[in-house]
Amino acid sequence: MSNNRLDSAGAMDPEARIFLAGHQGMVGAAILRRLEADGYSRLIVKSRGELDLTDQQVVRRFFDDEKPDQVILAAARVGGIGANIRFPADFIYQNLMIEANVIHEAFRSGVRRLLFLGSSCIYPRDASQPMTEDALLAGPLEPTNESYAVAKVAGIKLCEAYNLQHGTDFRSVMPTNLYGPNDNYDPDYSHVVPALIRRFHEARIAGDPAVTVWGSGEPQREFLHVDDMAAAALHVMNLAPETWAAATRPRLSHINVGSGEEVTIREMAELVKAAVGYAGELRFDHTRPDGVPRKALDGSLLRRLGWQPSWKLPAGLAAAYRNYLEKLDG
Ligand code: GFB
């Protein structure tokens, strides 16, 4: 197996040919910006129309032709609580196919290092908070996103299994709830932050007296700006193999990417309301699902390895709202 253009410290060489899967999604686009800013110039990106990652033959041909040095797997079928409840078959099938195809074909074509992006919903619904990496598979999952979570657990376990059987260096990162530029603003199927940005904006323009927030407002969520996530992804990807192995012993698998910025949904609604400059009231729709009551990550392991977030919520939400306005104009 080649050294796949890793430098003497085990980081990715600027000349490495890095396949970034999912560069048009929110996380992938942030990682692409960061890779370009860091001077990586031989990036391989393909739109969904050019490369269907759920199609094994297509993915095999792509790896045979391109032979990338490194892989960052940010492609996934994602969505908020509404989408997870409405499309469980799509979430489990598409994510399993993407992961199995990309991880296996990366291995087949000789890729040594790969980064897989997961989600904090892999942890059990009743895990003690904040959740450490070893909570994985210690109990039942949250039912509203079980399909997605099972697929993401499978992705971690694929990486782990290839490491154990084949000596690869496939790493997984588990981000907390993300927000930022390039988000999906679909009113029914997006995550809470983009949904609220859109709803508060539209209510401000229309002069509506109140805005509806789903659920009780009591669930707690931890939020991370996607640019911080991109920095964390490359930080993990560039850790020396010995450092990564020592940190993730004994299973060589996954690490949390937390922010420590935990708020209730009511508090988040107040923050978005302020960012948008809306003056009306909040109403809570108790017929809508709350999902898991709390989902905070223990991010101390990655902090000990030298990464920390730089965005704070109010500034991050203001920037996210500016991006929403730009998208409306564009
Ligand atoms: O962002 P969200 O869908 O993610 O919802 P989850 C977070 C919380 O916000 C829930 C409340 O308690 C929702 O009830 N909420 C309030 C809203 N108003 C809204 C709204 O207008 N739209 C949305 N979407 N929520 C997802 C998982 O869960 O998190 C995924 O289903 C994934 O699989 C993702 O893990 C990060 O944290 O509840």
Side-chain angles (χ1 to χ4, degrees):
M1 204 177 276
S2 76
N3 80 349
N4 290 151
R5 291 181 200 269
L6 297 168
D7 69 18
S8 55
M12 294 187 296
D13 187 282
E15 292 296 309
R17 298 179 68 249
I18 303 167
F19 171 43
L20 170 60
H23 73 290
Q24 292 176 317
M26 177 173 74
V27 181
I31 293 175
L32 182 60
R33 290 194 294 277
R34 182 77 194 204
L35 282 166
E36 286 172 346
D38 288 353
Y40 292 98
S41 56
R42 301 179 69 200
L43 305 174
I44 306 167
V45 294
K46 298 280 179 198
S47 68
R48 197 174 308 172
E50 292 171 311
L51 178 64
D52 177 0
L53 294 174
T54 66
D55 184 327
Q56 187 186 20
Q57 296 309 318
V58 166
V59 177
R60 175 161 294 189
R61 214 173 307 125
F62 164 79
F63 273 91
D64 285 347
D65 290 347
E66 295 283 351
K67 298 224 176 318
D69 296 308
Q70 328 287 346
V71 173
I72 299 177
L73 178 43
R77 173 70 188 266
V78 301
I81 193 167
N84 274 267
I85 291 171
R86 176 72 184 80
F87 306 111
D90 294 355
F91 274 73
I92 194 163
Y93 171 75
Q94 291 175 17
N95 286 310
L96 284 173
M97 293 302 282
I98 292 169
E99 293 159 8
N101 289 339
V102 174
I103 292 168
H104 180 70
E105 295 306 328
F107 156 69
R108 250 191 90 250
S109 78
V111 170
R112 244 198 104 56
R113 191 173 305 166
L114 172 148
L115 189 73
F116 172 66
L117 277 87
S119 163
S120 59
C121 69
I122 56 157
Y123 293 118
R125 177 183 163 89
D126 298 323
S128 67
Q129 307 279 327
M131 301 179 290
T132 49
E133 284 82 359
D134 58 10
L136 184 65
L137 292 178
L141 296 163
E142 155 64 27
T144 56
N145 55 33
E146 195 180 66
S147 284
Y148 180 72
V150 165
K152 288 296 182 183
V153 171
I156 298 171
K157 290 296 169 186
L158 273 164
C159 290
E160 210 172 278
Y162 281 78
N163 292 344
L164 289 169
Q165 187 177 335
H166 298 299
T168 50
D169 187 5
F170 294 173
R171 307 174 180 188
S172 299
V173 279
M174 300 303 122
T176 197
N177 286 38
L178 300 171
Y179 72 97
N182 248 351
D183 216 332
N184 168 14
Y185 294 96
D186 185 281
D188 297 317
Y189 299 134
S190 71
H191 289 103
V192 60
V193 171
L196 292 180
I197 286 177
R198 177 171 176 170
R199 213 169 295 141
F200 279 114
H201 173 79
E202 290 178 351
R204 181 168 68 77
I205 299 300
D208 292 341
V211 159
T212 301
V213 179
W214 293 2
S216 64
E218 284 162 24
Q220 290 169 270
R221 293 289 185 275
E222 182 193 28
F223 291 93
L224 178 70
H225 192 282
V226 71
D227 287 349
D228 280 334
M229 177 56 208
L234 295 192
H235 187 84
V236 168
M237 194 62 172
N238 279 324
L239 287 170
E242 325 62 81
T243 309
W244 173 252
T248 54
R249 220 185 298 275
R251 298 306 296 263
L252 305 181
S253 68
H254 65 288
I255 195 163
N256 291 343
V257 187
S259 68
E261 292 224 272
E262 196 185 14
V263 292
T264 64
I265 295 303
R266 179 186 293 276
E267 288 166 338
M268 175 49 80
E270 294 288 355
L271 285 165
V272 176
K273 179 180 157 176
V276 172
Y278 175 71
E281 286 178 18
L282 304 183
R283 281 198 196 124
F284 290 89
D285 179 354
H286 292 264
T287 67
R288 297 285 193 160
D290 269 342
V292 68
R294 193 173 172 208
K295 195 165 50 167
L297 288 182
D298 182 329
S300 56
L301 181 53
L302 186 53
R303 285 183 192 232
R304 287 201 296 282
L305 293 174
W307 170 85
Q308 57 177 30
S310 57
W311 284 89
K312 291 280 171 214
L313 267 178
L317 292 171
Y321 181 47
R322 281 197 299 279
N323 177 260
Y324 172 76
L325 293 175
E326 282 161 20
K327 281 198 158 191
L328 279 186
D329 283 349

Short mmCIF file of all heavy atoms in Angstrom, two decimals, residues 159-183:
data_model
loop_
_atom_site.label_atom_id
_atom_site.label_comp_id
_atom_site.label_asym_id
_atom_site.label_seq_id
_atom_site.Cartn_x
_atom_site.Cartn_y
_atom_site.Cartn_z
N CYS A 159 -15.69 1.53 9.40
CA CYS A 159 -14.32 2.06 9.53
C CYS A 159 -13.52 1.21 10.52
O CYS A 159 -12.37 0.82 10.24
CB CYS A 159 -14.37 3.51 10.01
SG CYS A 159 -15.00 4.63 8.75
N GLU A 160 -14.14 0.93 11.65
CA GLU A 160 -13.45 0.15 12.68
C GLU A 160 -13.07 -1.24 12.17
O GLU A 160 -11.95 -1.72 12.40
CB GLU A 160 -14.43 0.01 13.85
CG GLU A 160 -13.81 -0.09 15.19
CD GLU A 160 -14.90 -0.02 16.24
OE1 GLU A 160 -15.34 1.10 16.56
OE2 GLU A 160 -15.35 -1.07 16.72
N ALA A 161 -14.00 -1.88 11.46
CA ALA A 161 -13.75 -3.24 10.98
C ALA A 161 -12.62 -3.27 9.95
O ALA A 161 -11.77 -4.18 9.97
CB ALA A 161 -15.04 -3.82 10.39
N TYR A 162 -12.60 -2.29 9.05
CA TYR A 162 -11.52 -2.26 8.06
C TYR A 162 -10.18 -1.97 8.75
O TYR A 162 -9.15 -2.54 8.36
CB TYR A 162 -11.82 -1.25 6.94
CG TYR A 162 -12.80 -1.81 5.93
CD1 TYR A 162 -14.16 -1.86 6.21
CD2 TYR A 162 -12.37 -2.34 4.72
CE1 TYR A 162 -15.07 -2.40 5.31
CE2 TYR A 162 -13.27 -2.88 3.80
CZ TYR A 162 -14.62 -2.92 4.11
OH TYR A 162 -15.50 -3.47 3.23
N ASN A 163 -10.21 -1.13 9.77
CA ASN A 163 -8.97 -0.89 10.52
C ASN A 163 -8.47 -2.18 11.17
O ASN A 163 -7.29 -2.51 11.10
CB ASN A 163 -9.19 0.17 11.61
CG ASN A 163 -9.45 1.55 11.04
OD1 ASN A 163 -9.17 1.81 9.87
ND2 ASN A 163 -9.98 2.44 11.85
N LEU A 164 -9.41 -2.91 11.80
CA LEU A 164 -9.01 -4.12 12.52
C LEU A 164 -8.54 -5.21 11.55
O LEU A 164 -7.54 -5.88 11.80
CB LEU A 164 -10.20 -4.65 13.34
CG LEU A 164 -10.59 -3.81 14.56
CD1 LEU A 164 -11.94 -4.26 15.13
CD2 LEU A 164 -9.52 -3.88 15.64
N GLN A 165 -9.27 -5.39 10.46
CA GLN A 165 -8.93 -6.50 9.54
C GLN A 165 -7.83 -6.15 8.56
O GLN A 165 -7.00 -6.99 8.22
CB GLN A 165 -10.19 -6.93 8.77
CG GLN A 165 -9.95 -8.19 7.93
CD GLN A 165 -11.22 -8.66 7.23
OE1 GLN A 165 -12.33 -8.38 7.68
NE2 GLN A 165 -11.05 -9.37 6.13
N HIS A 166 -7.82 -4.86 8.12
CA HIS A 166 -6.91 -4.53 7.02
C HIS A 166 -5.84 -3.50 7.38
O HIS A 166 -5.06 -3.10 6.52
CB HIS A 166 -7.73 -3.98 5.84
CG HIS A 166 -8.70 -4.98 5.28
ND1 HIS A 166 -8.31 -6.18 4.74
CD2 HIS A 166 -10.06 -4.96 5.19
CE1 HIS A 166 -9.39 -6.85 4.33
NE2 HIS A 166 -10.45 -6.14 4.60
N GLY A 167 -5.84 -3.03 8.61
CA GLY A 167 -4.80 -2.08 9.02
C GLY A 167 -4.94 -0.71 8.39
O GLY A 167 -3.96 0.05 8.29
N THR A 168 -6.13 -0.35 7.95
CA THR A 168 -6.35 1.00 7.42
C THR A 168 -6.38 2.01 8.57
O THR A 168 -6.36 1.64 9.75
CB THR A 168 -7.68 1.08 6.66
OG1 THR A 168 -8.71 0.51 7.49
CG2 THR A 168 -7.62 0.32 5.35
N ASP A 169 -6.44 3.28 8.22
CA ASP A 169 -6.48 4.36 9.23
C ASP A 169 -7.73 5.20 8.94
O ASP A 169 -7.64 6.35 8.57
CB ASP A 169 -5.19 5.17 9.10
CG ASP A 169 -5.04 6.21 10.19
OD1 ASP A 169 -5.89 6.25 11.10
OD2 ASP A 169 -4.08 7.00 10.12
N PHE A 170 -8.89 4.57 9.05
CA PHE A 170 -10.17 5.22 8.78
C PHE A 170 -10.69 5.79 10.11
O PHE A 170 -10.83 5.06 11.09
CB PHE A 170 -11.18 4.23 8.18
CG PHE A 170 -10.82 3.73 6.80
CD1 PHE A 170 -11.56 2.72 6.19
CD2 PHE A 170 -9.75 4.27 6.08
CE1 PHE A 170 -11.26 2.25 4.92
CE2 PHE A 170 -9.42 3.81 4.79
CZ PHE A 170 -10.18 2.79 4.22
N ARG A 171 -10.97 7.09 10.11
CA ARG A 171 -11.33 7.80 11.34
C ARG A 171 -12.75 8.35 11.23
O ARG A 171 -13.18 8.72 10.14
CB ARG A 171 -10.35 8.96 11.56
CG ARG A 171 -8.90 8.50 11.51
CD ARG A 171 -7.90 9.66 11.57
NE ARG A 171 -6.53 9.12 11.52
CZ ARG A 171 -5.44 9.85 11.71
NH1 ARG A 171 -5.53 11.15 11.95
NH2 ARG A 171 -4.25 9.27 11.66
N SER A 172 -13.44 8.47 12.37
CA SER A 172 -14.81 8.99 12.35
C SER A 172 -14.95 10.15 13.33
O SER A 172 -14.43 10.09 14.44
CB SER A 172 -15.80 7.89 12.75
OG SER A 172 -15.75 6.81 11.85
N VAL A 173 -15.68 11.16 12.89
CA VAL A 173 -15.97 12.31 13.76
C VAL A 173 -17.49 12.43 13.96
O VAL A 173 -18.25 12.28 13.01
CB VAL A 173 -15.44 13.65 13.18
CG1 VAL A 173 -13.97 13.81 13.47
CG2 VAL A 173 -15.71 13.77 11.68
N MET A 174 -17.89 12.70 15.20
CA MET A 174 -19.32 12.79 15.54
C MET A 174 -19.66 14.21 15.95
O MET A 174 -19.43 14.61 17.10
CB MET A 174 -19.65 11.85 16.72
CG MET A 174 -19.37 10.41 16.45
SD MET A 174 -20.26 9.79 15.00
CE MET A 174 -18.88 9.23 14.00
N PRO A 175 -20.17 15.02 15.01
CA PRO A 175 -20.49 16.40 15.38
C PRO A 175 -21.81 16.50 16.15
O PRO A 175 -22.72 15.70 15.96
CB PRO A 175 -20.64 17.09 14.02
CG PRO A 175 -20.92 16.02 13.05
CD PRO A 175 -20.34 14.74 13.60
N THR A 176 -21.87 17.51 16.98
CA THR A 176 -23.12 17.89 17.62
C THR A 176 -24.00 18.59 16.57
O THR A 176 -23.62 18.68 15.40
CB THR A 176 -22.78 18.78 18.84
OG1 THR A 176 -23.91 18.83 19.67
CG2 THR A 176 -22.33 20.17 18.43
N ASN A 177 -25.17 19.13 16.94
CA ASN A 177 -26.05 19.77 15.94
C ASN A 177 -25.35 20.96 15.29
O ASN A 177 -24.84 21.84 15.98
CB ASN A 177 -27.33 20.26 16.62
CG ASN A 177 -28.28 19.11 16.96
OD1 ASN A 177 -27.83 18.04 17.37
ND2 ASN A 177 -29.57 19.33 16.79
N LEU A 178 -25.37 20.97 13.95
CA LEU A 178 -24.62 21.99 13.20
C LEU A 178 -25.56 23.04 12.61
O LEU A 178 -26.73 22.77 12.33
CB LEU A 178 -23.86 21.32 12.06
CG LEU A 178 -22.84 20.26 12.48
CD1 LEU A 178 -22.32 19.52 11.25
CD2 LEU A 178 -21.69 20.88 13.26
N TYR A 179 -25.00 24.22 12.35
CA TYR A 179 -25.75 25.27 11.65
C TYR A 179 -24.72 26.12 10.91
O TYR A 179 -23.52 26.05 11.21
CB TYR A 179 -26.57 26.14 12.64
CG TYR A 179 -25.70 27.04 13.48
CD1 TYR A 179 -25.49 28.37 13.12
CD2 TYR A 179 -25.01 26.54 14.59
CE1 TYR A 179 -24.66 29.19 13.86
CE2 TYR A 179 -24.18 27.35 15.33
CZ TYR A 179 -24.00 28.68 14.96
OH TYR A 179 -23.15 29.48 15.68
N GLY A 180 -25.20 26.94 9.98
CA GLY A 180 -24.27 27.84 9.29
C GLY A 180 -24.66 28.02 7.83
O GLY A 180 -25.75 27.65 7.41
N PRO A 181 -23.74 28.60 7.05
CA PRO A 181 -24.04 28.87 5.64
C PRO A 181 -24.31 27.59 4.86
O PRO A 181 -23.79 26.53 5.19
CB PRO A 181 -22.77 29.57 5.12
CG PRO A 181 -21.73 29.34 6.14
CD PRO A 181 -22.41 29.09 7.44
N ASN A 182 -25.12 27.72 3.81
CA ASN A 182 -25.42 26.59 2.92
C ASN A 182 -26.40 25.60 3.52
O ASN A 182 -26.47 24.45 3.09
CB ASN A 182 -24.16 25.81 2.56
CG ASN A 182 -23.80 25.96 1.12
OD1 ASN A 182 -24.58 26.50 0.34
ND2 ASN A 182 -22.63 25.49 0.76
N ASP A 183 -27.11 26.01 4.56
CA ASP A 183 -28.05 25.10 5.21
C ASP A 183 -29.26 24.88 4.32
O ASP A 183 -29.47 25.60 3.33
CB ASP A 183 -28.49 25.69 6.57
CG ASP A 183 -28.67 24.62 7.63
OD1 ASP A 183 -28.99 23.49 7.26
OD2 ASP A 183 -28.51 24.94 8.83
#
